[in-house]
Amino acid sequence: MAESTTGARDRRKVLLARARERLARLGMEPPAGWFVCPMCLRLRPESAATRSHFPADALPGGRARTELACRDCNGATATYERSAVDYLTKVWDISIGPTRGRRIKGRGVVRTDSDSMGIQLVGSTAARTGRKFNAARSRAPDPHHVTITIREPLEDGAKRSLVAWSFLSWFFYAGYRYVMTPGAALVRRLILEPSQPVPAAIVIRRGPLQVPLPQAEPVLLVEGERPVKSAADIHEVIGLGARWGSLVVALPLANDAEGRVWLRLGELVALDGGATVAALDLRRLVPGVTSDGLHEAMVVEDKSTGNRWEVSHEPTRDELESLVEGRSPHLITPRRARSSPQPTRGPQ
């Protein structure tokens, strides 16, 4: 059932209030009537606030959560989310008809094996599409020769969408303590700048793909003895991640400004298929981490290298002032973004 306009407006107000509360806990708030978009980090008027679904609400199953984003950023992700939905559901655009006759467009599930291919039309217009196809064949000079064109969705769009959904899941979990960090800036650039190539090792599969996707779980990616039962089994801390059932999307730690996570995963996948990589549920790994979010800065010490990796960052006052004044050093302006007005008075 479609959500009412009133319900959508109320949900948007809840998200705006929660975003303001998250910043208030850190000791700073944006001006009244304004919010900081977690994707672009621009200061935006509340009239530009939208609900961004993760995963996309077009995926079957109805398990999507929503988080705050500005209209420009939501529009940017929409340009490739369709590819992700098609890729995950295996429902593709098709054009079918007699070789010398009218072509009919529709949507269908494409199944192939070693010596055959089958197409099952789907959607509310499937029956009508089938009738149009039969009518076109009956009028064609050679009804037994059929041409089928299949528009296969791009894997890049699917991966980029999974990255966007995983980023929103980490905003849901860790708030601005993660999204305003150098590591998160690398992720946001992948989401908002489609010209940026998606790292090959950014998505890890541990089994067959199943839709609907479950809700994302925040994980810590490590290399070590499997199964990892304790800290003694961990050889190296690699990065963060969001686990969607059999899929894990790898994200940089808060202070991983170079994207080391993707380089290291690429090395391990090339070495042994990533067999020694484990995804540890943060909520079970760290005592005191609540199920509804990470409400404090968290640092993980990598004993093998001596590095201290930030899962989430405790921002300084200067960092917070820059954020709520719309001048964060990690700000990204989406392409085709509308020019944004500025508040008439400073933060309160």
Side-chain angles (χ1 to χ4, degrees):
M1 181 179 295
E3 187 177 19
S4 68
T5 302
T6 301
R9 190 181 301 116
D10 290 344
R11 177 60 182 162
R12 189 173 68 96
K13 288 181 179 178
V14 170
L15 293 175
L16 282 166
R18 191 165 73 189
R20 179 172 288 274
E21 180 186 1
R22 284 167 164 166
L23 283 172
R25 287 180 182 175
L26 296 174
M28 197 70 63
E29 292 187 58
W34 296 75
F35 75 102
V36 177
C37 174
M39 280 193 177
C40 61
L41 295 191
R42 293 181 301 161
L43 185 64
R44 302 286 285 143
E46 290 185 352
S47 60
T50 61
R51 298 175 307 131
S52 190
H53 294 77
F54 61 101
D57 57 349
L59 275 176
R63 301 178 64 87
R65 288 171 167 163
T66 56
E67 262 303 344
L68 192 67
C70 74
R71 191 177 295 114
D72 293 333
C73 290
N74 216 355
T77 60
T79 61
Y80 48 80
E81 271 192 347
R82 169 69 182 275
S83 292
V85 173
D86 290 357
Y87 185 86
L88 294 169
T89 60
K90 306 300 181 185
V91 178
W92 299 348
D93 289 333
I94 62 171
S95 174
I96 185 170
T99 301
R100 291 186 294 166
R102 182 187 175 193
R103 306 294 293 277
I104 310 299
K105 294 181 179 180
R107 301 269 291 161
V109 178
V110 180
R111 297 184 175 90
T112 59
D113 54 35
S114 58
D115 56 2
S116 66
M117 180 182 72
I119 298 175
Q120 178 183 351
L121 296 175
V122 299
S124 59
T125 61
R128 189 186 312 163
T129 301
R131 289 194 297 269
K132 289 181 178 179
F133 169 65
N134 290 331
R137 285 188 63 190
S138 68
R139 294 190 295 267
D142 190 356
H144 299 293
H145 286 80
V146 175
T147 298
I148 302 173
T149 303
I150 300 172
R151 178 180 170 272
E152 185 175 355
L154 298 176
E155 187 178 15
D156 178 88
K159 285 185 174 182
R160 207 175 294 273
S161 294
L162 283 164
V163 171
W165 303 339
S166 298
F167 175 83
L168 286 173
S169 76
W170 265 92
F171 180 59
F172 175 87
Y173 185 65
Y176 292 97
R177 281 188 171 93
Y178 178 68
V179 303
M180 61 185 293
T181 66
L186 300 178
V187 185
R188 294 168 39 244
R189 200 164 294 283
L190 288 176
I191 296 170
L192 298 177
E193 297 180 359
S195 61
Q196 294 287 319
V198 179
I202 202 167
V203 176
I204 305 169
R205 284 186 61 170
R206 294 300 194 193
L209 180 63
Q210 294 183 338
V211 176
L213 294 177
Q215 291 183 347
E217 299 176 349
V219 296
L220 184 69
L221 296 176
V222 301
E223 191 274 332
E225 302 293 336
R226 298 197 66 185
V228 176
K229 296 181 178 180
S230 68
D233 299 325
I234 298 174
H235 296 164
E236 179 186 357
V237 176
I238 303 174
L240 301 179
R243 180 165 51 205
W244 307 83
S246 63
L247 288 174
V248 178
V249 178
L251 304 177
L253 288 136
N255 58 339
D256 178 8
E258 305 299 326
R260 171 189 172 276
V261 56
W262 302 317
L263 296 174
R264 186 59 178 138
L265 282 175
E267 294 172 350
L268 294 171
V269 168
L271 181 66
D272 58 8
T276 59
V277 177
L280 308 181
D281 190 332
L282 271 182
R283 291 169 297 188
R284 297 180 182 177
L285 182 67
V286 182
V289 175
T290 62
S291 60
D292 66 338
L294 187 61
H295 300 306
E296 58 185 24
M298 177 179 168
V299 177
V300 178
E301 185 173 350
D302 191 334
K303 295 182 179 179
S304 65
T305 63
N307 292 325
R308 287 173 58 83
W309 293 110
E310 293 183 349
V311 173
S312 60
H313 171 68
E314 194 66 36
T316 66
R317 183 172 182 82
D318 286 345
E319 289 173 326
L320 288 168
E321 286 181 348
S322 297
L323 185 71
V324 301
E325 292 173 3
R327 52 182 182 85
S328 168
H330 302 302
L331 182 148
I332 299 173
T333 302
R335 290 193 303 174
R336 299 189 299 273
R338 300 175 183 177
S339 60
S340 176
Q342 294 300 310
T344 56
R345 55 179 180 171
Q348 312 203 341

